[in-house]
Amino acid sequence: MRLIEPETDADEKMLPPSIYAALVNSLFQNAAPALAGTLCAAVGAVMTVWKTGNVLLWPCALLIVAVGGARAIQMHIYERERRGSPLTPERAAWWEPRYKIGADLYAASLGIWCFIVLMGSDDPVAHMVCTAVTIGYIAASVGRNYGRPEIIQAHIINATAPMSIALALRGDPYYVALAGLLVLFFVGLRLINLNLHEIFVKALTETERAAALAGQFDTALNNMPNGLCMFGADGRLAVINNHFNQMMGCGGNLVRRGDSLREMIAAFVKAGSLSQTSGTTIIVEIESSKPAQITTLDRSQDNERALSWRFQPMVGGGTVVLVEDVTERRNSEALISHMARFDELTGLPNRVSFRKEIGKMLKSAEDSSLAALLFVDLDQFKQVNDTLGHPCGDQLLCMVADRMRELLRKDDFVARFGGDEFVVFQRGIKTNHDAADLARRIVERLSERYEVDNHQVEIGASVGIAMTQPGVGADGLLKNADMALYRAKASGRGTFCFFRDEMAQTVEARRVLELDLRKALANEEFELYYQPLVNLRSGRISTCEALLRWNHPVRGAVSPVDIIPVAEDMGLIVDLGRWILRKACMECMKWPDAVSVAVNFSSQQFHQRDILSEVRYALEVSGLPANRLEIEITESSLLKNTKWTHDALSQLHAAGCRISLDDFGTGYSSLSYLHNFPLQKVKIDRSFLEGIDTDRPLTLLRGVARLSADLGMSVVVEGIETNEQLELISADGTVTEAQGFLFSRPVPATRVRQLLNASHGRQPDELLSRSARSSAGKA
């Protein structure tokens, strides 16, 4: 510990108040010798009167006695005052001038007495008595008044100046020489007094500094967060701070300075702060005189307490002991460690702990042993969270974890990977059938009904199974089980599936496709094809739907059915949709003014928060009027965030765009969509054309078309491939437009321009028949 030395000031006037008070207090010390000196001076004065017979000396003797007595009374009053309280700087400033007045009067009375004796008589004995008494008094005063040098200087002048003058005035060479010697003697006394004063001031300063440092050390010692005690070379307790006593429960005088190590430890054991075993360990470590650190675990008031002890020997003998209560820290570290390895909700091991434990199990397993890793995913769990809330979902997960524990043996290991995913490691099995049996039981048990907050809840489970193989670690098993789970969920959920090598090939192919798709988007390797929609009343092409095509350099033509799902999973669908929108708008500007372009919006693309800005930007950069853009959305887009969806559609409609509901009839086919959302067109899916030559399907199609038309929407039927289908859907006049191979397959931009020129440059009937014949021939 580095101590900061306080600055000192050589200026006497800048002394600290406490030191000033100590200096004044020194003036009033030794009252008895001062009184004895007064009596000696009074006796000497009386002796000179008797010896010389000079009556003028009687007043001098009386003055010496009076002033000396008054000073004795003053010192007595001071000492009585000091008994009640120490001298304060304020009282010191009050006492100092009073002391100075008394001292000056006494010194002056001695000086006057000497002057009268020396000048008023020739008696050498009288001369010797007065000079000896005065010189003795001054010498004693120099040693007693070192606290205030200015007072002794006044003493010397008042007492010795008259005496020296009288000696010099007598004219005798010896007297004159004595006067000179006395001057030198008194100068020396003054220097001695100043040196004594300096020594005393330094002593007081160092004492005060030491007291301050001791106070600082004591404050630091008793406020440090650790307990501290120190044993001297004799093995006795030299220092102990308050925190140490508090930690060990030692109040009062249970432990005192001077106690031996064994006495102190015995007191701690008696107080219940340490066990006998811990106390013995501490004694051994301290007596070994080597640096060490230990942790003791003892019970204190029914709670386990951990204390960290550090022992540091000192040079010259003795030991410093530091003790810290690390109970909370150990508990926190244990909690953090538990949280890092276990799922907080279910108490099961988490992903990190599972991988670590499985890695150990795989390394320690025998080559002939067989194990299985089962990846379990809950079906319909998201619906529980969405309908009943996350608290109910959390309760359900805990119930699932309990059921999983019930199904497993002691050697099996289960963990929660997060969300609704659980993983089981089944050890010590003989064949794949054992794993299949466990997976079947898991699916059946987890599919049984749950009661959560008075709600009856039913969910399912899908399981992917990966069997251990030589050279396949924990990560490889998890990856294989995950691929098997993906296949199980694709097979209809509520079942299990074993990993097979071809699954890895499928995943690898998917990974390559993702890389190629990302590259194709960056390099704009995609192309837009367009399929016309023909207005049945005019016979002209009214709209062209933009359709994505990708001619892969290796794969060849890749179907949009393969592109769109991958792009959605990768999060690229928004960027891809933005490119399609802008490209289609710019192409539409090359068509006749009466023709619109229809652009499909995926659910992810439609629900991005800046969809309106994207549409406006595409229209602005292309120059396309908003009324020539049709935005096609599916029913899945209307399912999410209904209020936001309604607001977004309303804003797009207000901007002038037309909104079309695509593939109506393939989803929920809710008629509320037609009423609640601002739709201008309904596209009836091609599935309605199946069996249209019979009454029931035709009635259904015409009913949907008539309902949509009555709501003020235009109606499009997709998938028209024959003239018979065309005649049937257009018979009652409710279907506005038709789309299908009968008119044209999706064609590149250059080809659709030719069709549009032909459509809007010839008679409608001629175009319709010509397009039908041309398309039928290509088919």
Side-chain angles (χ1 to χ4, degrees):
M1 178 173 67
R2 180 173 178 265
L3 300 177
I4 306 301
E5 297 291 341
E7 295 183 359
T8 58
D9 195 326
D11 190 351
E12 177 74 12
K13 297 180 180 179
M14 299 300 292
L15 286 174
S18 58
I19 294 180
Y20 167 72
L23 293 174
V24 173
N25 181 62
S26 68
L27 300 176
F28 292 90
Q29 301 300 316
N30 302 319
L35 181 60
T38 300
L39 292 176
C40 290
V43 170
V46 172
M47 288 176 61
T48 57
V49 172
W50 288 341
K51 189 72 172 65
T52 62
N54 189 348
V55 295
L56 294 176
L57 295 178
W58 282 112
C60 292
L62 293 176
L63 181 61
I64 292 172
V65 171
V67 174
R71 294 189 68 202
I73 295 172
Q74 183 185 53
M75 288 186 176
H76 176 72
I77 295 173
Y78 175 84
E79 289 180 355
R80 187 172 60 184
E81 180 182 305
R82 282 291 314 280
R83 293 192 191 101
S85 61
L87 181 65
T88 63
E90 292 76 16
R91 291 298 295 170
W94 186 88
W95 277 107
E96 181 185 13
R98 287 160 177 77
Y99 179 88
K100 186 177 184 302
I101 292 173
D104 289 344
L105 288 175
Y106 189 75
S109 65
L110 291 178
I112 294 171
W113 171 49
C114 286
F115 185 86
I116 294 174
V117 171
L118 291 172
M119 295 302 296
S121 71
D122 294 328
D123 191 325
V125 174
H127 294 175
M128 180 189 68
V129 169
C130 70
T131 54
V133 170
T134 302
I135 293 173
Y137 170 76
I138 295 300
S141 181
V142 167
R144 193 162 54 84
N145 293 283
Y146 55 82
R148 306 303 290 161
E150 63 273 13
I151 293 179
I152 194 59
Q153 293 173 16
H155 267 51
I156 293 173
I157 294 173
N158 291 332
T160 62
M163 180 176 60
S164 297
I165 292 172
L167 288 172
L169 290 176
R170 287 192 63 86
D172 185 277
Y174 294 103
Y175 277 68
V176 173
L178 179 60
L181 290 174
L182 287 176
V183 171
L184 294 178
F185 174 71
F186 295 140
V187 170
L189 288 178
R190 178 179 177 277
L191 295 177
I192 291 173
N193 178 260
L194 292 176
N195 288 334
L196 288 174
H197 172 74
E198 183 179 358
I199 293 171
F200 185 64
V201 169
K202 285 183 178 181
L204 288 176
T205 303
E206 292 300 325
T207 301
E208 185 173 78
R209 183 180 303 171
L213 292 178
Q216 294 172 2
F217 177 76
D218 188 64
T219 301
L221 189 67
N222 289 313
N223 287 278
M224 62 188 300
N226 296 342
L228 180 144
C229 68
M230 183 185 301
F231 292 92
D234 58 355
R236 297 285 176 176
L237 182 64
V239 174
I240 185 169
N241 67 354
N242 293 337
H243 195 55
F244 193 102
N245 280 323
Q246 293 170 3
M247 292 174 63
M248 305 311 297
C250 298
N253 297 323
L254 188 60
V255 176
R256 298 181 298 273
R257 290 184 176 88
D259 288 348
S260 68
L261 170 62
R262 294 181 181 273
E263 289 173 341
M264 184 184 77
I265 296 299
F268 294 161
V269 173
K270 182 178 180 180
S273 303
L274 286 177
S275 65
Q276 186 63 55
T277 303
S278 297
T280 302
T281 304
I282 294 170
I283 292 173
V284 171
E285 293 293 342
I286 294 178
E287 290 181 347
S288 68
S289 299
K290 295 179 181 179
Q293 182 171 355
I294 64 171
T295 299
T296 59
L297 293 175
D298 295 304
R299 284 205 164 271
S300 176
Q301 299 179 354
D302 297 329
N303 294 320
E304 187 176 66
R305 186 172 70 156
L307 298 178
S308 175
W309 300 78
R310 295 182 63 184
F311 311 105
Q312 181 61 50
M314 297 185 297
V315 177
T319 304
V320 175
V321 180
L322 284 174
V323 60
E324 179 184 6
D325 191 334
V326 295
T327 307
E328 291 297 327
R329 187 171 71 194
R330 283 173 60 91
N331 292 340
S332 299
E333 290 173 351
L335 178 61
I336 292 172
S337 176
H338 184 274
M339 293 174 63
R341 296 182 295 113
F342 290 87
D343 175 52
E344 183 179 3
L345 180 63
T346 63
L348 294 176
N350 60 14
R351 181 188 297 267
V352 175
S353 179
F354 182 84
R355 289 179 68 257
K356 183 177 180 180
E357 293 299 325
I358 297 306
K360 293 179 180 178
M361 293 178 185
L362 291 175
K363 289 180 180 179
S364 62
E366 299 178 0
D367 294 338
S368 59
S369 63
L370 187 64
L373 191 147
L374 290 74
F375 211 130
V376 183
D377 184 81
L378 303 182
D379 301 329
Q380 292 90 42
F381 176 75
K382 184 177 184 302
Q383 285 84 335
V384 176
N385 266 343
D386 292 342
T387 56
L388 301 182
H390 288 279
C392 288
D394 290 344
Q395 292 184 43
L396 179 58
L397 288 173
C398 292
M399 294 179 182
V400 169
D402 291 338
R403 292 188 181 186
M404 295 280 285
R405 292 187 183 100
E406 295 171 2
L407 294 171
L408 302 180
R409 303 167 304 168
K410 182 178 180 181
D411 292 338
D412 298 332
F413 192 79
V414 61
R416 181 190 175 210
F417 269 30
D420 56 353
E421 294 180 341
F422 294 83
V423 179
V424 176
F425 190 70
Q426 186 186 22
R427 294 193 293 171
I429 59 178
K430 297 179 180 179
T431 65
N432 293 9
H433 295 293
D434 295 331
D437 181 61
L438 176 59
R440 187 179 297 106
R441 287 187 286 118
I442 288 175
V443 171
E444 292 174 356
R445 184 72 175 99
L446 298 187
S447 299
E448 295 177 6
R449 183 173 297 176
Y450 301 82
E451 184 173 346
V452 182
D453 279 352
N454 298 321
H455 297 285
Q456 299 296 321
V457 176
E458 291 185 3
I459 59 173
S462 300
V463 182
I465 308 172
M467 306 301 297
T468 54
Q469 303 175 25
V472 179
D475 291 335
L477 278 178
L478 286 170
K479 181 179 179 182
N480 293 344
D482 190 37
M483 286 187 280
L485 174 64
Y486 182 82
R487 179 64 59 87
K489 296 176 71 172
S491 300
R493 302 176 183 268
T495 185
F496 61 90
C497 180
F498 280 90
F499 169 76
R500 296 187 298 275
D501 291 337
E502 57 266 25
M503 293 181 184
Q505 298 173 1
T506 303
V507 171
E508 179 62 19
R510 166 71 178 258
R511 188 185 68 83
V512 173
L513 178 60
E514 290 178 354
L515 293 176
D516 291 346
L517 186 58
R518 195 178 299 275
K519 179 181 177 183
L521 180 60
N523 298 332
E524 295 190 6
E525 297 176 2
F526 298 105
E527 184 180 3
L528 289 185
Y529 275 43
Y530 299 90
Q531 186 175 26
L533 281 70
V534 176
N535 187 293
L536 298 182
R537 294 187 178 88
S538 66
R540 290 189 174 92
I541 299 174
S542 58
T543 307
C544 292
E545 181 180 1
L547 301 169
L548 184 67
R549 293 293 183 267
W550 182 22
N551 189 18
H552 193 277
V554 177
R555 301 169 183 265
V558 182
S559 171
V561 178
D562 297 326
I563 299 174
I564 300 303
V566 177
E568 288 180 341
D569 291 343
M570 296 174 61
L572 292 177
I573 193 64
V574 174
D575 293 335
L576 184 58
R578 184 183 298 117
W579 179 84
I580 294 173
L581 175 63
R582 296 176 185 177
K583 193 78 172 178
C585 289
M586 288 187 286
E587 176 62 28
C588 187
M589 285 296 295
K590 302 175 183 177
W591 301 343
D593 293 341
V595 182
S596 302
V597 65
V599 180
N600 292 283
F601 275 47
S602 73
S603 179
Q604 288 187 23
Q605 181 186 7
F606 179 74
H607 284 91
Q608 60 173 323
R609 293 295 171 178
D610 57 348
I611 180 64
L612 184 61
S613 300
E614 288 294 340
V615 172
R616 285 176 174 170
Y617 181 76
L619 295 174
E620 182 180 349
V621 296
S622 64
L624 184 71
N627 61 356
R628 292 183 63 190
L629 174 63
E630 287 188 7
I631 297 175
E632 293 191 1
I633 59 174
T634 60
E635 293 179 55
S636 60
S637 299
L638 303 179
L639 286 172
K640 299 179 180 179
N641 200 349
T642 304
K643 185 179 186 306
W644 185 91
T645 302
H646 185 277
D647 294 342
L649 290 175
S650 299
Q651 292 175 3
L652 290 171
H653 177 59
C657 301
R658 293 172 58 81
I659 311 298
S660 175
L661 182 60
D662 195 16
D663 297 333
F664 185 76
T666 59
Y668 289 92
S669 302
S670 174
L671 297 179
S672 64
Y673 296 153
L674 306 180
H675 171 69
N676 294 331
F677 294 96
L679 304 173
Q680 287 79 49
K681 181 181 288 188
V682 174
K683 298 183 72 174
I684 300 176
D685 187 70
R686 66 179 66 244
S687 61
F688 278 77
L689 296 177
E690 296 179 4
I692 196 175
D693 53 346
T694 60
D695 291 340
R696 189 176 183 87
L698 182 60
T699 301
L700 178 61
L701 186 148
R702 287 178 175 175
V704 173
R706 188 177 297 110
L707 175 62
S708 301
D710 291 344
L711 291 174
M713 291 175 281
S714 59
V715 180
V716 181
V717 178
E718 301 175 307
I720 303 298
E721 297 183 359
T722 66
N723 287 318
E724 289 75 13
Q725 292 175 336
L726 178 61
E727 291 175 0
L728 289 172
I729 67 168
S730 60
D732 63 350
T734 54
V735 177
T736 311
E737 296 171 295
Q739 181 181 10
F741 290 171
L742 177 62
F743 306 106
S744 175
R745 291 176 179 273
V747 295
T750 54
R751 176 57 181 155
V752 81
R753 292 175 204 160
Q754 296 174 1
L755 292 177
L756 290 173
N757 290 334
S759 173
H760 290 266
R762 293 178 172 83
Q763 294 298 323
D765 294 339
E766 180 184 354
L767 170 65
L768 189 59
S769 60
R770 182 183 179 90
S771 299
R773 290 195 301 273
S774 174
S775 299
K778 291 180 181 180

